[in-house]
Amino acid sequence: MNKIIVVGGVAGGASAAARLRRLNENAQIIMFERGEYISFANCGLPYYIGGDITDKEALTLQTPESFHSRFRIDVRNSQEVTHIDKTNKVVTVKNLKTNETYEESYDKLILSPGAEPAKPGIAGADNSKVFTLRNIPDTYKIKEYIDQEDVHSAVVVGGGYIGIEMAENLRNAGLTVTVVEFADHVIAPLDFDMAADVHNHIRSKGVNLILKDGVKEIQNSGNKLKVLLGTGEITADMVIMSVGVRPESSLAVEAGLSVNSRGAILVNEHMQTSDEDIYAVGDAIEIKDFVTGEAGYIPLAGPANKQGRIAADHICGINSSYHGTQGTGILKCFDLTIATTGITETKAKQLGINYEKSFTYSNSHASYYPGAVGMSIKLIFQKEDGKVIGAQIVGYEGADKRMDVLATAIRAGMTVYDLAELELAYAPPYSSAKDPVNMAGFTAENVLTGKVKIFHWHDVEKLPRDGSVNLLDVRTELEYENGSIDGFRHISLDELRDNLSELDKLKPVYVTCQIGLRGYIACRILEQYGYECYNLSGGYRLYHSIFDKITMVTRDEERAADDEILSAAAITGQKPDKKIIEINACGLQCPGPIMKLAQAVKNAKEEDIIEISTTDTAFAADVDAWCRRTGNTFMGINSEKGIAKASIKKGCLNKQVDKNCKDVPSEGNNKNIIVFSGDLDKAIASFVIANASAAMGRKVSMFFTFWGLNILRKPENVPVKKDLISKMFGLMMPKGSKKLTLSKMNMGGMGAKMIRMVMKNKNVDSLESLIQASIDNGVELIACTMSMDVMGIKMEELIDGVKPGGAAAMLANAEESDMSLFIS
């Protein structure tokens, strides 16, 4: 073993070459890289586009000169290995600068070709305004296009790691950004329930997020691109394709090396391919899943570095082995941190693992020390022994630290009982005496040892509302009034012991609180009084994040006008009529921030502005509802690194222009549309009026009842449990907007097809586009829950963006409107 050739640099190849030299000073080592750069920070590329990284040179970790100077490795960049002759142990090389072709012999060969962006079969994807991001030249190309062309908007196709990072950085670069993701959630290593907070956060940062839809075609439209989706279209100046990667293994395939069905190179634990003198590492290889033992494909930089090291060890006679990839990853999404390790709940289900899950919400450090921010932790563990097999964290400061602990626990085969016993570093600025990892262990341990029985967010809808079970919310009255789960009655935890007679002991009790902690305490009380009790894991906070889109808005024009008044007063020395009252509620859990806000508003004068800062993750959803209920003005909320700052004006004096105020007089200009009909023509008319009103700046509410609910149905089959009558209703009714018929001249469906064709020819938006536009324009779509019950329609069967409501919601909207239309 005197001559080793390494094909490809970056993580795997460069690590292997450097390790080889450290182990053998006399070996001849040649590295071929077809690109210009042999080692660069590919994970940092989006941040150069967004402006966080300003120095081009910072992206280059090693140059051919520095690599040779340090390791005496013969680095040949811009030279591509085009053929491997395994028999004679020779590679063919093409110099891409001179087009010269030559051969080079080897004793051992290491392949590190990496992965290439997947290229879906989308017409128009080869347009010059469509980009992918893999390397430094791609980065410069995107950056130069944004800087030199008149670029204001972008569509990112794909909501994976790179897609979300690109969305953030394009937004930071000043572009209007839309992310289109075919799945029902972004970040595949997350489960849907944990991704819900991410969706809300992305939207709060001004990014338009479209889920469960795909790009069908990309067309030129003047100087812009028209991106055609399954249910609408978007116009943008550029498109970033980020739909995943695939192993770049054509060289290995051509050489006759074994690959799997997706083209990933097969290797053993020493990184040897089917040819014992050829090794492969990095994003081009098939790996073993550390948790399940299954073959898989997880392209990550950390494993690639380790694999390069192991290949070099084995070549040099060291018996190193790779024991699998567990998929530990972390992502910055604006100021939010998303971290994962192990397998998802979805994967556990697919494999038939007997698992349980838990949700906990903890602060990054002691709540009484300033700056504590919350994090959500989901644990997935085996029921029989408590072994941790997966973990997901969505949070801010300290999320990375806790994920590293959990990743280590999985690698060590630890259980939830072990998590409860871990002795982790504690001081108030860094953690709590019960670290978030300990809390996750305590919660899971309580479930496995039977101290508490749990039910989950997806079980709530199936609970009977006929009185056969007790449905109980033990939060405070203020929390309950700000939002609750349908059918759950209220008895606060502190009043529970004095009101046990209100609960039927013969019926099980299903309890919810805000995050699950008070529900656990309630169940411990009830169980000891002879009740059968189940606690909602993750509480109302998780349920609300999944089923209600939370949009955090920036302060509006009126707030800006208030600032001008205060600034002018400061210059002139005059005392303003209104003042800003600053409240620090950081570290307080719900309902603490709302209670402090309520007290501040009570003590304030009319039109005073209260600015409240909080780290409570539920506050963004609570404060708007609280303002509407109490007749105060919600002026907006901004979030940065887990600290939300909301502005509220006491009272509602400027009612003519204040759209966020509850007490709008009857001569206000809101619009209320009640859609009773399920006819195509009437549905089109309804949404045309709604979008026109929204375009004029009006607040629009659409209340869908009886046959009108069919407009909102999803076209695909949704697996929901129904009785026989409900199933019959579902079969007889049109499934979604594309199945609606005309009220006149339907002609067995021909009329509907004709009107759709005419609309398309006249460049009139389809009904589906009108519906999506209404959601994008902030039109409130409300499904009548009474009609849904009668007709056997479940919320899961309705399109995203619809919320349940009753006659009271419709009447409240009518009172705030100067026009109510009944479409029948």
Side-chain angles (χ1 to χ4, degrees):
M1 186 273 299
N2 294 314
K3 185 176 182 182
I4 306 108
I5 288 178
V6 180
V7 180
V10 197
S15 294
R19 177 70 169 175
L20 282 167
R21 176 58 73 221
R22 290 194 295 270
L23 295 176
N24 189 331
E25 182 66 19
N26 299 313
Q28 181 184 359
I29 306 170
I30 304 173
M31 178 190 292
F32 290 105
E33 170 57 54
R34 69 181 178 187
E36 182 180 351
Y37 305 92
I38 63 162
S39 181
F40 58 89
N42 50 358
C43 295
L45 300 181
Y47 299 100
Y48 177 74
I49 294 169
D52 286 345
I53 298 174
T54 57
D55 184 4
K56 283 185 176 182
E57 303 302 320
L59 297 174
T60 306
L61 303 179
Q62 289 278 3
T63 65
E65 294 76 21
S66 67
F67 213 57
H68 181 268
S69 177
R70 176 66 55 85
F71 297 108
R72 292 298 187 269
I73 291 172
D74 182 2
V75 179
R76 304 179 190 179
N77 59 331
S78 299
Q79 299 195 38
E80 181 180 9
V81 174
T82 60
H83 177 71
I84 301 171
D85 180 350
K86 294 186 301 178
T87 303
N88 296 306
K89 302 177 74 171
V90 170
V91 298
T92 302
V93 184
K94 180 178 181 181
N95 187 319
L96 299 179
K97 291 182 178 179
T98 65
N99 287 326
E100 172 196 4
T101 298
Y102 64 96
E103 292 184 342
E104 197 75 56
S105 63
Y106 66 85
D107 295 308
K108 299 290 183 181
L109 175 65
I110 300 176
L111 301 179
S112 180
E116 61 182 343
K119 298 174 182 177
I122 297 174
D126 57 350
N127 192 294
S128 61
K129 298 177 182 178
V130 178
F131 301 86
T132 58
L133 179 63
R134 184 198 178 195
N135 50 36
I136 288 182
D138 292 341
T139 308
Y140 293 164
K141 188 177 179 182
I142 294 171
K143 177 72 170 172
E144 288 168 3
Y145 183 76
I146 293 172
D147 291 343
Q148 296 174 8
E149 304 295 330
D150 189 25
V151 177
H152 301 283
S153 57
V155 172
V156 178
V157 184
Y161 280 71
I162 296 297
I164 297 304
E165 288 176 344
M166 281 302 301
E168 172 191 347
N169 283 281
L170 290 170
R171 186 77 180 128
N172 289 343
L175 276 64
T176 299
V177 181
T178 297
V179 175
V180 180
E181 169 56 51
F182 188 75
D184 64 355
H185 69 284
V186 299
I187 315 298
L190 280 180
D191 286 314
F192 171 78
D193 41 28
M194 290 296 283
D197 273 343
V198 182
H199 299 162
N200 290 328
H201 192 75
I202 290 170
R203 292 183 175 114
S204 79
K205 297 299 184 181
V207 174
N208 180 29
L209 178 61
I210 299 175
L211 300 172
K212 295 189 289 187
D213 205 347
V215 175
K216 297 170 59 179
E217 186 176 353
I218 301 171
Q219 301 174 349
N220 281 312
S221 180
N223 294 326
K224 295 182 177 291
L225 294 175
K226 183 184 291 185
V227 182
L228 304 181
L229 310 179
T231 57
E233 61 184 46
I234 311 167
T235 300
D237 295 313
M238 66 185 300
V239 171
I240 305 291
M241 298 297 298
S242 180
V243 293
V245 297
R246 60 187 181 190
E248 192 167 314
S249 56
S250 56
L251 183 64
V253 171
E254 189 268 343
L257 300 178
S258 298
V259 298
N260 65 13
S261 59
R262 69 182 300 165
I265 303 169
L266 301 182
V267 296
N268 63 16
E269 61 182 1
H270 306 302
M271 315 314 298
Q272 288 173 297
T273 68
S274 53
D275 185 310
E276 64 178 12
D277 291 322
I278 302 177
Y279 295 72
V281 300
D283 294 352
I285 71 167
E286 176 185 275
I287 56 88
K288 181 179 76 172
D289 188 299
F290 178 79
V291 175
T292 67
E294 287 191 323
Y297 182 68
I298 306 177
L300 292 170
N305 275 284
K306 296 176 183 66
Q307 292 156 11
R309 179 185 178 94
I310 288 167
D313 281 357
H314 196 258
I315 288 172
C316 294
I318 300 173
N319 191 30
S320 294
S321 299
Y322 188 68
H323 300 297
T325 302
Q326 67 191 65
T328 304
I330 193 165
L331 170 70
K332 175 181 176 291
C333 176
F334 294 96
D335 53 328
L336 189 69
T337 298
I338 303 150
T340 65
T341 191
I343 65 172
T344 62
E345 180 185 359
T346 303
K347 185 67 173 179
K349 280 182 181 177
Q350 292 173 351
L351 297 176
I353 295 174
N354 185 25
Y355 75 94
E356 185 55 275
K357 59 187 173 184
S358 67
F359 300 90
T360 51
Y361 300 93
S362 303
N363 281 331
S364 56
H365 59 248
S367 59
Y368 58 83
Y369 187 88
V373 291
M375 67 181 75
S376 309
I377 300 180
K378 178 177 182 177
L379 275 189
I380 302 150
F381 48 93
Q382 295 178 165
K383 283 185 178 181
E384 62 269 19
D385 57 7
K387 185 177 180 180
V388 183
I389 56 176
Q392 300 165 31
I393 301 181
V394 176
Y396 299 92
E397 177 187 315
D400 54 341
K401 167 184 173 180
R402 274 68 186 207
M403 182 50 67
D404 284 344
V405 174
L406 292 169
T408 303
I410 290 178
R411 182 63 60 160
M414 296 172 71
T415 68
V416 298
Y417 309 106
D418 297 319
L419 298 185
E421 293 183 3
L422 285 178
E423 185 176 336
L424 302 172
Y426 160 62
Y430 303 104
S431 184
S432 299
K434 297 178 181 177
D435 188 86
V437 173
N438 295 138
M439 289 300 297
F442 295 152
T443 300
E445 179 186 30
N446 285 336
V447 172
L448 291 181
T449 57
K451 294 182 180 66
V452 65
K453 295 186 282 289
I454 60 174
F455 65 110
H456 294 291
W457 61 268
H458 45 76
D459 301 319
V460 172
E461 192 263 340
K462 295 177 284 188
L463 293 174
R465 265 68 171 182
D466 58 2
S468 59
V469 299
N470 297 293
L471 302 178
L472 180 62
D473 189 320
V474 297
R475 296 177 297 160
T476 65
E477 183 177 356
L478 187 60
E479 290 175 284
Y480 184 77
E481 288 180 354
N482 262 343
S484 60
I485 301 174
D486 178 50
F488 279 68
R489 62 179 300 186
H490 176 247
I491 303 175
S492 70
L493 175 62
D494 294 340
E495 298 172 345
L496 181 59
R497 291 182 179 89
D498 298 327
N499 291 276
L500 292 176
S501 60
E502 297 185 25
L503 301 174
D504 188 340
K505 190 175 289 188
L506 299 178
K507 301 173 182 177
V509 185
Y510 290 85
V511 177
T512 184
C513 64
Q514 188 66 18
I515 62 173
L517 179 57
R518 283 172 286 173
Y520 164 65
I521 297 171
C523 274
R524 292 304 303 150
I525 293 171
L526 291 168
E527 288 279 353
Q528 293 176 76
Y529 278 98
Y531 292 82
E532 180 184 3
C533 187
Y534 297 84
N535 182 33
L536 178 59
S537 181
Y540 180 77
R541 187 249 181 255
L542 176 63
Y543 181 88
H544 183 59
S545 72
I546 293 169
F547 291 106
D548 295 295
K549 286 183 180 179
I550 302 170
T551 302
M552 296 168 67
V553 297
T554 57
R555 52 192 194 175
D556 57 18
E557 293 178 4
E558 184 178 352
R559 170 63 197 276
D562 286 327
D563 285 349
E564 290 180 11
I565 292 171
L566 293 171
S567 297
I571 294 171
T572 62
Q574 297 176 351
K575 187 176 181 179
D577 295 331
K578 61 183 81 173
K579 66 177 181 178
I580 291 182
I581 301 168
E582 295 187 355
I583 303 295
N584 184 359
C586 291
L588 296 180
Q589 294 293 331
C590 184
I594 286 290
M595 293 174 66
K596 291 197 74 168
L597 173 61
Q599 186 62 45
V601 170
K602 180 180 178 181
N603 296 335
K605 296 178 180 179
E606 289 291 328
E607 291 205 313
D608 280 354
I609 296 167
I610 294 90
E611 288 191 341
I612 180 167
S613 298
T614 177
T615 52
D616 175 28
T617 51
F619 186 73
D622 289 347
V623 64
D624 189 15
W626 184 87
C627 288
R628 284 176 57 84
R629 184 177 63 83
T630 57
N632 294 291
T633 307
F634 174 57
M635 302 180 65
I637 185 167
N638 285 309
S639 172
E640 189 65 32
K641 294 185 178 180
I643 298 177
K645 188 172 186 179
S647 299
I648 299 93
K649 184 172 72 174
K650 180 170 181 175
C652 192
L653 301 183
N654 197 4
K655 297 170 183 173
Q656 296 297 331
V657 298
D658 195 341
K659 303 181 184 69
N660 296 316
C661 186
K662 175 185 178 183
D663 189 19
V664 177
S666 59
E667 63 266 26
N669 54 19
N670 294 351
K671 309 300 176 189
N672 187 43
I673 303 173
I674 301 123
V675 185
F676 181 88
S677 171
D679 296 326
L680 175 62
D681 44 339
K682 296 175 182 177
I684 293 171
S686 301
F687 279 96
V688 168
I689 296 169
N691 282 310
S693 301
M696 294 175 65
R698 308 300 191 247
K699 180 179 181 296
V700 184
S701 297
M702 301 181 73
F703 186 79
F704 294 82
T705 183
F706 282 97
W707 313 118
L709 291 168
N710 292 316
I711 302 170
L712 305 179
R713 292 182 72 192
K714 295 176 180 176
E716 68 272 15
N717 289 323
V718 179
V720 290
K721 188 175 181 180
K722 293 186 177 184
D723 57 34
L724 178 60
I725 298 298
S726 297
K727 288 180 179 178
M728 292 177 63
F729 259 117
L731 291 172
M732 291 186 289
M733 292 187 299
K735 189 176 293 183
S737 58
K738 292 185 178 181
K739 298 294 184 181
L740 301 181
T741 59
L742 288 178
S743 60
K744 308 288 185 184
M745 298 173 57
N746 187 53
M747 298 180 294
M750 284 297 297
K753 292 180 180 178
M754 290 171 62
I755 196 170
R756 284 183 178 273
M757 181 177 68
V758 171
M759 290 172 67
K760 183 177 181 180
N761 292 338
K762 299 291 186 181
N763 289 322
V764 177
D765 284 344
S766 66
L767 173 57
E768 294 71 39
S769 296
L770 290 169
I771 293 172
Q772 185 59 51
S774 72
I775 295 172
D776 295 340
N777 291 331
V779 174
E780 185 178 46
L781 306 183
I782 303 173
C784 175
T785 52
M786 183 276 292
S787 300
M788 291 172 63
D789 288 340
V790 171
M791 303 178 75
I793 296 176
K794 306 292 186 181
M795 279 302 298
E796 297 97 317
E797 297 179 89
L798 303 184
I799 60 176
D800 289 343
V802 179
K803 67 180 185 181
M810 182 271 292
L811 292 171
N813 288 324
E815 289 177 357
E816 297 176 356
S817 302
D818 64 351
M819 180 188 79
S820 287
L821 294 178
F822 191 88
I823 311 294
S824 64

